[in-house]
Amino acid sequence: MGPKKLKSVSYAKYGYIFSIPFVLAFLIFTAYPIFYTAVIGFTDLKGLGKTDFKFLENPLQNFEAVWKNPSFQKSLENTAIIWICNFIPQILLALLLTAWFTNQRQKLRCQGAFKVLFYMPNIITAATIAILFNTLFGYPMGPVNDLFQMLGIADGPTEFLRDKWTAKGIISFIQFWMWYGQTMIVLIAGVLGINPALFEAAEIDGATSRQVFFHITLPSLRTIMLFTLVTSLIGGMQMFDIPKLFLNGGPDSATLTVSVFIYNQAFSGSYLYNRAAAASMILFVIIAILSGILFYLLRDKDAGKLKKQMRELKKAQKAARRAEA
């Protein structure tokens, strides 16, 4: 009687089994809504509770109507301004804090406490922050108004939230304040992934902290910077909670963002689900195009040159083999 063969166990099937709940949840709560939104953008679906619709003779009718809508154009402009005004100081402060926390020469104490303190605004709910800042800039009584009058900056109470640019500035500051800690944590993680031998070599060569940061840290963070920029772009273009809860897009649509516009189209007035879906798809295309531009501008040119050289080398080798044959 020969030796008994051991029965092999295939663990791959268990991976598929355990992934089934996620796949089902993704298909039901993500894939289906995306597909349904894309479809109804080409239909006449509108009205609360209605599910029947028909496709339009001009399939781009909703997209043209949304694109030419002055409110949508205004929302695009507001979204771009608010995102730029909060991202630039956000990335600069995050880089400064990253350089501070990762500087081996300073050996900063209580780093964990500082990181938690800077990250904390990110975990506060948007509703709480909206109420907080609405109270701070309240009229006629509010902490900011009281402070300005006490310092003699203003003779009487000021309606801060009635001024368009002041409202945009406050929302930009809120977004900056909420997200710079998140950006800092991502950048710190990127710095910790850099080969320590590079920093040790720079220290031996006598490089200053500024030289190390600009010539080693920043170039090595290209991929992390790209990730931060793209995710911030996506989040900024989808900005909804703070503009909606803080001033509901006011005053005079000064803080109306694209996501608030989409919400208003779908859940107010005539419940134009088709127009809201079309606006969503337009926003998706804009984000995709801008993300593609960022990927192209921040691509690793050295890696691209290396790949090109490898392709040329392979072609030369194939040509040599053919010539020998």
Side-chain angles (χ1 to χ4, degrees):
M1 186 176 181
K4 187 177 181 181
K5 293 183 179 180
L6 295 177
K7 186 178 180 181
S8 61
V9 179
S10 176
Y11 294 99
K13 64 179 181 181
Y14 295 105
Y16 292 112
I17 293 173
F18 289 132
S19 65
I20 288 175
F22 165 77
V23 172
L24 291 176
F26 175 80
L27 291 175
I28 295 172
F29 298 107
T30 303
Y32 172 73
I34 292 175
F35 177 75
Y36 185 71
T37 300
V39 169
I40 64 176
F42 300 96
T43 68
D44 63 347
L45 179 63
K46 60 181 180 180
L48 186 63
K50 291 187 177 180
T51 56
D52 55 322
F53 57 81
K54 63 179 180 180
F55 287 93
L56 299 171
E57 294 182 1
N58 178 10
L60 299 179
Q61 178 179 331
N62 291 323
F63 296 89
E64 293 173 355
V66 169
W67 186 255
K68 295 178 181 178
N69 190 322
S71 294
F72 180 76
Q73 296 173 2
K74 183 66 175 177
S75 69
L76 273 176
E77 178 186 342
N78 293 337
T79 303
I81 292 173
I82 293 173
W83 176 70
I84 292 172
C85 289
N86 88 77
F87 179 74
I88 293 176
Q90 177 190 144
I91 192 67
L92 292 177
L93 181 59
L95 284 170
L96 179 63
L97 293 173
T98 300
W100 186 36
F101 282 126
T102 57
N103 192 324
Q104 298 298 326
R105 297 176 183 177
Q106 292 184 354
K107 296 181 179 179
L108 181 68
R109 296 182 179 180
C110 303
Q111 288 195 25
F114 281 114
K115 290 175 184 177
V116 170
L117 184 64
F118 293 143
Y119 185 76
M120 192 170 291
N122 188 253
I123 62 177
I124 303 175
T125 60
T128 303
I129 292 177
I131 294 172
L132 171 64
F133 277 85
N134 213 309
T135 304
L136 286 174
F137 292 91
Y139 176 85
M141 297 179 62
V144 176
N145 261 316
D146 293 343
L147 179 63
F148 277 24
Q149 292 178 65
M150 183 180 66
L151 297 175
I153 299 175
D155 297 330
T158 304
E159 292 189 73
F160 293 102
L161 304 183
R162 294 291 298 273
D163 183 78
K164 296 180 181 180
W165 285 101
T166 302
K168 288 179 182 177
I170 294 173
I171 291 181
S172 298
F173 174 80
I174 293 173
Q175 294 292 130
F176 152 75
W177 180 63
M178 287 181 64
W179 291 100
Y180 80 93
Q182 165 74 13
T183 305
M184 176 197 69
I185 295 297
V186 173
L187 293 177
I188 290 175
V191 172
L192 295 178
I194 300 174
N195 189 350
L198 296 175
F199 298 107
E200 294 173 2
E203 187 174 358
I204 293 172
D205 291 339
T208 63
S209 299
R210 180 177 297 180
Q211 290 173 332
V212 170
F213 183 75
F214 283 102
H215 295 285
I216 296 178
T217 305
L218 275 183
S220 301
L221 285 177
R222 181 192 297 270
T223 305
I224 301 297
M225 290 290 289
L226 175 61
F227 168 80
T228 303
L229 191 56
V230 171
T231 53
S232 178
L233 170 68
I234 295 172
M237 295 301 291
Q238 294 178 338
M239 197 185 314
F240 173 77
D241 45 11
I242 296 298
K244 178 65 178 177
L245 297 172
F246 185 50
L247 291 173
N248 195 25
D252 193 22
S253 300
T255 60
L256 178 71
T257 61
V258 178
S259 293
V260 177
F261 171 84
I262 293 171
Y263 177 88
N264 292 340
Q265 289 287 303
F267 302 109
S268 63
S270 301
Y271 297 94
L272 303 175
Y273 297 133
N274 52 349
R275 299 287 175 84
S280 301
M281 297 306 297
I282 291 174
L283 179 61
F284 169 78
V285 172
I286 292 173
I287 291 175
I289 293 173
L290 293 177
S291 299
I293 293 173
L294 291 176
F295 271 102
Y296 178 77
L297 294 176
L298 295 178
R299 70 192 186 281
D300 192 341
K301 296 180 181 179
D302 294 334
K305 290 179 181 178
L306 182 60
K307 289 181 179 179
K308 186 177 180 180
Q309 291 175 357
M310 293 296 295
R311 286 196 298 266
E312 291 176 352
L313 180 60
K314 289 180 179 179
K315 289 180 180 179
Q317 290 175 347
K318 289 181 179 179
R321 289 172 185 171
R322 290 174 183 172
E324 291 176 357

